[in-house]
Amino acid sequence: MKKTLMLSLCAVLASPAFAATDPVSARQDIFKQFKKDAAAMGKMVKSDTINKDEFSKLAAHLDEVAQQPWQHFPAGTASGQAARKTEAKAEIWSKPAEWTKAVDSFKAETGKLKQVAANGDAASIKNQFAAVQKTCKSCHDAFRKD
Ligand code: HEC
């Protein structure tokens, strides 16, 4: 009986679902998806070969994942505090209004990109993609360690 219990406990601890409850790896996994989407869109923008269907799918996916990392920033998980390696600066928690503003403007720009990708021409798609990238950079400048 005891052995069975231990074995099932081990199975739970080893499962990916359990690993994903670590907030640092949860948010980092989502940021990795940001990077993947942005890189694929950036490639099309740079080479002037925007495939609207593909771009729209990427923009919609980015807007979806753009909603997600922010719930995984509990207090005590700044760089130097968390058990795992993280690049989150303490300013996330000491300047909550600025942090919320950075999150909100990013989400506003990804929402716009999704709209423009579905309805706009190449020039407006490019402009809006640049606007999204600006919000990535300004948040990283303020809230992520280099
Ligand atoms: C509102 C703030 C904010 C915005 C907007 C933002 N990021 Fe980040 N990003 C962070 C923070 C904070 C971290 C550090 C997370 C950690 O290490 O715990 C991070 C980490 C990352 C990482 C590293 C993930 C890893 O493997 O550890 C990548 C890649 C990344 N962001 C890409 C992007 C891209 C691309 C965009 C825009 C499409 C973006 N981010 C927008 C705050 C932001």
Side-chain angles (χ1 to χ4, degrees), residues 23-24 27-29 31-32 34-36 38-39 62 70 73 77 85-89 92 99 102-104 106-107 110 132-133 135-140 143-145:
V24 172
R27 68 201 188 206
Q28 289 176 343
D29 285 350
F31 286 125
K32 285 190 180 99
F34 284 20
K35 188 180 170 185
K36 213 171 149 200
L62 179 62
W70 326 116
F73 283 89
T77 61
K85 195 179 174 298
T86 166
E87 281 157 1
K89 280 192 187 172
I92 292 170
W99 170 249
V103 170
D104 287 348
F106 173 63
K107 291 197 285 193
T110 60
V132 167
Q133 282 189 307
T135 56
C136 308
K137 188 176 184 305
S138 67
C139 184
H140 289 165
F143 297 108
R144 187 180 79 164
K145 293 188 150 206

Side-chain angles (χ1 to χ4, degrees), residues 93-108:
W93 296 273
S94 66
K95 297 181 175 170
E98 279 93 332
W99 170 249
T100 303
K101 203 173 149 201
V103 170
D104 287 348
S105 42
F106 173 63
K107 291 197 285 193

Side-chain angles (χ1 to χ4, degrees), residues 10-50:
C10 288
V12 168
L13 291 175
S15 77
F18 184 81
T21 59
D22 172 71
V24 172
S25 34
R27 68 201 188 206
Q28 289 176 343
D29 285 350
I30 300 164
F31 286 125
K32 285 190 180 99
Q33 298 184 53
F34 284 20
K35 188 180 170 185
K36 213 171 149 200
D37 289 339
M41 287 189 271
K43 214 170 153 189
M44 284 191 240
V45 164
K46 256 192 200 144
S47 59
D48 240 328
T49 51
I50 296 176

Side-chain angles (χ1 to χ4, degrees), residues 114-130:
K114 181 178 149 181
Q115 295 298 322
V116 171
N119 307 313
D121 56 16
S124 35
I125 291 174
K126 274 187 185 179
N127 278 339
Q128 189 52 35
F129 181 66

Side-chain angles (χ1 to χ4, degrees), residues 3-19:
K3 199 171 161 197
T4 325
L5 202 73
M6 280 301 289
L7 281 175
S8 48
L9 187 64
C10 288
V12 168
L13 291 175
S15 77
F18 184 81

